[in-house]
Amino acid sequence: MSTRTIPVIGDRIKTGKQLRMAGLYAFLYGIAFLFLLPYAWMLSTSLKTEQHVFSQVPQWVPPEVTFEWYVAVLTGAPMIRWFLNTFLIAGATTIIVVVLNSMIAFALTKLDWPGKRIVFAVIIASFMVPVFANMVPLFQVIAQFGLVNNPLAVILPFSAMPIGVFLLVQFFKDLPDEVIEAARLDGFSTFQIYYRIVLPLMKPAIAALSLYTFVYTWNSSSGR
Amino acid sequence: MATEDESASRLDAVRSIDLSDTETRAGLLFATPYLVVFSIFLLYPLFLGFYMSLFDWNVFAPSQSEFIGLENYVRMMNDPVFWSAFRATVYFVVLTVPTLVVFGLALALGVNRNVKGKRFLRTVYFSPYVLTVSVVSLIWMEMYASDYGPINYYLSYILADPPTWLNSFTWAMPAVAFATVWWTVGFNFIILLAARQSVPERLYEAARIDGASSWRAFKDITLPQMRPAIMFVSVVQFIWSFQVFGQVFVMTDGGPGNSTQTIIMYLFRVAFRQQDFGYAAAIGYFLFFVLVAVSLANYYFIGRDGDAS
C-alpha cells in the first residue's frame, strides 16, 4: 500500500504545479492576444478600401487589399523629413537627459553636500506642474532667449524633465555605499566613481530612462 | 527615526556652503548642469505662470494686462463647469491608477516566472506605450464605434442592446480609461519588472529552505523589496492620470455633455479657445497645489514608514 501512495502524492503535487503553470500561461498569453487585437484591427483597416472600412460585419482580413493610404501618407506630406526631425530631437533630448539626470542623481544619493534635500524636494514637487499650465509662460521664456523656431526650444524644456531624476534616485539609492567607499580607497576620483562604477552598475535603470525619454519626446514632438 | 531625520534636514539647511570641502564641491558640480536647465525651463515659467494667474492676462499685449489679485481663483471656486471637470478627473484617476499599478505588477511578476516567450510577452505588453496618444485614440475610436466597431459587433451576440461607449454618459469615461490602461500599463510593467529582477534571488532561496509558502515569500520578500518601485509607479501614475488630456480630447472632446471633460481639458479650452490665460493659469495652479499636497503626503508617509522598518 505505502509503496503506491507515495508516487500518487508526488503526482498530485506535480499536477498542481502544472495546472498553476498552465493558468499562468493562459493569463499571460491571453492578455498578449488581447493586447494585439487593436493592432490587428488598425493594420487591417489601413489595408482596406474605403467601402470596406465601415463595413457592419468586422473583417479582420481585408477582402480587397490596397496600399493607397500608405502611398497617400508618403507622397502627400514630407513624412520622411518630419520623421528625421523628430528622430534627431528625440535622440538629442535623450542624450542630454541621461547625462544631466544621472549626474544630479549621483550627487543627490552618493555625495554629501548642503542643501541637497531641499533641491530634491523642489525637483519632486516640480513634476506635478501641469504641462499645459506651464506652456504659455514657457513660450515667453523661449521667446526671451530668442529660441523660437530653434530645435533647442523643444530639446531644452524636455531636458529639464524632473521625473528622470526621481527615477534614477530611486535606483541609485540601492547601490551599496561600500562599493563607493572601496573605490575611493582604491584611489578613484569622484568622476571616476560616477563614470566607471555607478553608470555601469546602473545600466538597467539608465536603459529604462533612455527608453522612456526617447518615447516621450518622440510622441510629444509628434503631437502628444 | 523621524525626529532624527528632521533635525538632520534642519542642520542641512543651516550649514553654510563650504567650498573647501571636496565632497561639497563635487556635489555642486554634478548637480549644477541639471539645475541650470531646470531653473530656466521649469522653475522660472512656474513662477511666471503664478504671476499671470493674478492678472486678466492679455496674450497679445502682456504689458496691458489688468491686475485683479485672486479674482481668477474666486471665479474658479464658483464655476460649476470647473467642478464638473474636477469630478470627472477624480473618476478617471479612480478608474485607472489602481488598475494600472495592480495589473502592471501582475504582468511583471508573471513574466518574471520562467515562462517561455518572455521576450515576446515583454514586447507585446510594452508596445502600446510607444504609440502617440492620437494614434491610440483613433484605434480605440474604431474599436468602440457603435455601428461598425468590432467590439459591439461581438457584444451584440450576448447583449441585446450594447452600450454606445464613447457616446454614452455612463460608459464614455470607463471606455477612455480602458484604452488608457491598454496604452500605458507597459510603462508600469517595465519599471516593476526591472525592480523584481533586482530582488536578490538568495532571499527566495532562504525562504524556500525555511519552508515559507509562495504567498509568504510574496508578502514578506517581493512586496517590501519592490516598495520603492511600486511607490514610484503609483505616484507618477496618479500625477499623470490627474493631468489626463490627450485621450479625452481626441476620443470624446469632453462629451457627451461635459461628462468626460477633465481639468486639463477645461484649462485648454479656457486658454486656447477663450484666450483667457489668466484664468487658465489659475486652474493650472490649483491643480498643481492639489498634486503637490497629495504626492508629498504620500511620499513622506511611505518614506518614513520605510525608514522605520
Side-chain angles (χ1 to χ4, degrees), chain B residues 262-282:
Chain B
T262 59
I263 295 182
I264 295 279
M265 237 197 98
Y266 184 48
L267 186 155
F268 180 85
R269 233 172 225 187
V270 168
F272 297 101
R273 289 187 192 159
Q274 300 164 16
Q275 311 286 332
D276 196 349
F277 281 101
Y279 186 39

Side-chain angles (χ1 to χ4, degrees), chain A residues 18-197:
Chain A
Q18 274 169 346
L19 262 180
R20 239 182 305 156
M21 236 15 209
L24 182 65
Y25 272 94
F27 170 72
L28 290 175
Y29 279 90
I31 298 282
F33 176 71
L34 290 178
F35 262 61
L36 288 174
L37 280 182
Y39 287 119
W41 189 248
M42 170 172 62
L43 180 68
S44 113
T45 303
S46 76
L47 295 172
K48 279 176 199 167
T49 55
E50 203 159 357
Q51 84 228 38
H52 292 294
V53 168
F54 299 108
S55 144
Q56 296 276 326
V57 181
Q59 293 160 322
W60 290 93
V61 180
E64 235 184 296
V65 174
T66 171
F67 290 98
E68 59 175 309
W69 308 117
Y70 288 91
V71 174
V73 162
L74 288 173
T75 55
M79 271 308 270
I80 294 167
R81 178 70 202 284
W82 290 345
F83 191 85
L84 260 177
N85 282 350
T86 312
F87 189 84
L88 287 177
I89 286 173
T93 310
T94 306
I95 293 167
I96 295 176
V97 164
V98 166
V99 171
L100 297 186
N101 284 4
S102 64
M103 278 172 73
I104 192 170
F106 171 63
L108 287 171
T109 50
K110 297 298 162 198
L111 297 174
D112 189 35
W113 43 285
K116 70 173 187 179
R117 276 160 191 277
I118 298 165
V119 167
F120 187 54
V122 170
I123 293 175
I124 297 291
S126 74
F127 80 69
M128 291 147 233
V129 180
V131 183
F132 285 95
N134 227 9
M135 207 144 93
V136 179
L138 185 64
F139 182 78
Q140 296 220 328
V141 172
I142 284 165
Q144 275 168 24
F145 278 86
L147 290 176
V148 178
N149 286 335
N150 184 319
L152 283 178
V154 191
I155 293 170
L156 289 175
F158 282 124
S159 306
M161 213 169 46
I163 188 175
V165 178
F166 187 30
L167 178 75
L168 289 187
V169 162
Q170 295 293 322
F171 277 92
F172 284 20
K173 253 200 310 212
D174 291 341
L175 188 73
D177 287 332
E178 294 85 48
V179 176
I180 284 160
E181 270 158 41
R184 224 181 263 289
L185 287 178
D186 284 344
F188 274 46
S189 70
T190 310
F191 181 75
Q192 281 171 324
I193 293 176
Y194 160 74
Y195 188 70
R196 295 184 44 196
I197 312 268

Side-chain angles (χ1 to χ4, degrees), chain B residues 27-201:
Chain B
L28 290 174
L29 220 61
F30 271 94
T32 305
Y34 176 79
L35 290 179
V36 169
V37 175
F38 174 76
S39 308
I40 298 175
F41 292 99
L42 228 156
L43 229 43
Y44 173 57
L46 183 63
F47 288 110
L48 189 63
F50 183 70
Y51 176 77
M52 287 170 75
S53 77
L54 303 176
F55 284 83
D56 185 7
W57 193 264
N58 185 332
V59 206
F60 305 106
S63 56
Q64 283 168 29
S65 305
E66 189 193 342
F67 181 80
I68 53 169
L70 294 175
E71 217 167 281
N72 279 324
Y73 292 91
V74 174
R75 182 176 149 201
M76 180 175 74
M77 290 298 150
N78 296 319
D79 182 355
V81 186
F82 168 77
W83 287 111
S84 120
F86 187 79
R87 276 194 302 273
T89 309
V90 170
Y91 184 36
F92 180 81
V93 167
V94 169
L95 287 174
T96 52
V97 176
T99 320
L100 282 166
V101 174
V102 172
F103 188 36
L105 185 65
L107 291 178
L109 295 179
V111 168
N112 188 60
R113 304 287 289 273
N114 270 328
V115 289
K116 288 202 180 79
K118 234 183 211 182
R119 204 174 274 250
F120 166 76
L121 291 171
R122 215 167 49 191
T123 313
V124 170
Y125 298 153
F126 186 72
S127 61
Y129 188 69
V130 305
L131 299 177
T132 308
V133 69
S134 35
V135 173
V136 172
S137 306
L138 287 174
I139 294 177
W140 284 94
M141 281 162 86
E142 299 277 299
M143 299 286 291
Y144 284 133
S146 43
D147 38 2
Y148 63 93
I151 293 181
N152 270 10
Y153 177 79
Y154 294 115
L155 270 187
S156 66
Y157 284 112
I158 320 167
L159 297 171
D161 194 15
T164 51
W165 302 116
L166 297 173
N167 292 320
S168 139
F169 278 93
T170 327
W171 290 102
M173 196 56 114
V176 173
F178 189 81
T180 306
V181 169
W182 177 78
W183 178 33
T184 57
V185 76
F187 173 78
N188 294 1
F189 162 73
I190 287 284
I191 300 273
L192 292 171
L193 184 64
R196 174 60 186 83
Q197 283 169 347
S198 54
V199 177
E201 213 40 50

Side-chain angles (χ1 to χ4, degrees), chain A residues 1-22:
Chain A
M1 268 307 219
S2 61
T3 45
R4 283 191 77 176
T5 48
I6 291 162
V8 167
I9 289 169
D11 271 3
R12 220 177 261 161
I13 290 170
K14 217 173 153 196
T15 32
K17 244 185 193 160
Q18 274 169 346
L19 262 180
R20 239 182 305 156
M21 236 15 209

